[in-house]
Each structure stands twice: as structure tokens, then as C-alpha cells.
Amino acid sequence: FLLSTINQKSAAPEYMSYKFDVVLAQSARWLYFVVALLSLMNACIHLHIQLNVYTCTDTSSSSYQCLGRNLAWRDGDNFDVDTNKFFWRQIFSLKPEVFLDVWTPVLLSGLALLQHFKPCQWHVISGSWRNALCFIVAWQLFGVLGYGSNFGVVVGLIGLCGACSVYLAVTILAMCGGL
């Protein structure tokens, strides 16, 4: 993450000894990190919204009691009724249409954030500037925009317009032999 000093023998002051492409690459990494943090916040907002949509509410006419926010207990000894179909399993389910809709932002944003830590890096994502650019585009389109209400739109646009443009510039520099 931190800029490292490039060994150059010149009379220029130290603050001018950084090459443009190195500064751009470090800026790209930091921007990616910030977007990953914002996207993880967006994923938490999305999860909070989903948990609120399927909240269990006790009413005097209901035949169940709420055991927390999304878990219900049917009154009596009636074990043959699927009480939590509309509460718990609308969030915690392995059905692809539920799992992917609820957990995609959390998983993709967490995966993006982990790319900044050496032991957790996945070469398919962070192996090259081009791979990272492709991941950022897919992650922002399919895991940020459209999730978390307006915050997701703002973060998605920051990721697509900001991070992708910087990563595109660094990718072009790398392809031209600049990095």
C-alpha cells in the first residue's frame, strides 16, 4: 500500500523522485481499497434492508411468537407447519434465488477487500492489472449497483467511474511496458 522510494540518483527533491506510473499504481490500489470498504458498508446496508423486509412481528391474532428479528416459534405443539418460510429462510437459504440476491454484495465486497492482504490474495483477481479491472467492473455491476438503496448507486458509480478509469489507465501503462 505504501509508496516505496525508487532508487534514483538525481538532484531532485525526494518528493519528486516518484515515477508517475508508480504513483498512479499506488493511487489505484488505495482507491480500490476505499471502494472495497465502501462496498462492504453497502453490503451491510443491503443485508439490514433484507432483514427488515422479512421481520417477524408479533400480533395478538398470530399463532406464533417471534424469537428475535427473523425467527418465529409456532404456539402449541404444532410441528407440521412451516412457520419460518417467510421469515428466516428469506435471508438464510441456499436456494440460489435467495442466496445470490441476499449474499452476493457481502461475498464480492469481502473478496475484494481480501485482495489487499498478501495471504488472502487470489491470483485470478489480483494477478494482473487487467484481471483486477475485469473483477472491479463485474463486482460493481453485479454486486454493488442495485443493492443497498441509494448508497449502492453512489458507491457503484464511484467504483465504475473512479476506480475503473484509474485501473484502465494503469492497465494500459502496464501493457505498454510502463509498469
Side-chain angles (χ1 to χ4, degrees), residues 125-177:
I125 295 172
S126 58
S128 71
W129 292 104
R130 185 188 61 215
N131 291 6
L133 175 63
C134 292
F135 174 74
I136 292 171
V137 169
W139 160 45
Q140 295 299 304
L141 288 175
F142 301 111
V144 178
L145 279 170
Y147 293 98
S149 191
N150 291 345
F151 190 72
V153 175
V154 170
V155 173
L157 291 176
I158 291 171
L160 283 173
C161 297
C164 286
S165 61
V166 175
Y167 263 77
L168 180 62
V170 174
T171 300
I172 292 169
L173 274 173
M175 291 172 71
C176 295

Side-chain angles (χ1 to χ4, degrees), residues 63-140:
S63 58
Y64 59 85
Q65 295 176 358
C66 296
L67 300 176
R69 190 178 198 174
N70 297 87
L71 193 60
W73 177 265
R74 174 95 34 203
D75 291 336
D77 59 357
N78 193 352
F79 286 96
D80 61 347
V81 177
D82 193 1
T83 308
N84 286 296
K85 180 178 183 179
F86 302 107
F87 303 120
W88 185 262
R89 289 199 337 254
Q90 293 302 313
I91 305 296
F92 301 99
S93 174
L94 292 178
K95 290 189 326 190
E97 62 271 9
V98 173
F99 183 81
L100 291 175
D101 185 52
V102 173
W103 295 99
T104 295
V106 176
L107 296 175
L108 289 179
S109 298
L111 184 61
L113 190 59
L114 287 175
Q115 298 310 301
H116 296 280
F117 304 101
K118 270 271 193 238
C120 303
Q121 287 180 347
W122 191 15
H123 186 72
V124 172
I125 295 172
S126 58
S128 71
W129 292 104
R130 185 188 61 215
N131 291 6
L133 175 63
C134 292
F135 174 74
I136 292 171
V137 169
W139 160 45
Q140 295 299 304

Side-chain angles (χ1 to χ4, degrees), residues 17-29:
S17 66
Y18 298 109
K19 290 184 177 179
F20 172 74
D21 54 353
V22 174
V23 172
L24 187 64
Q26 290 298 330
S27 300
R29 289 185 180 112

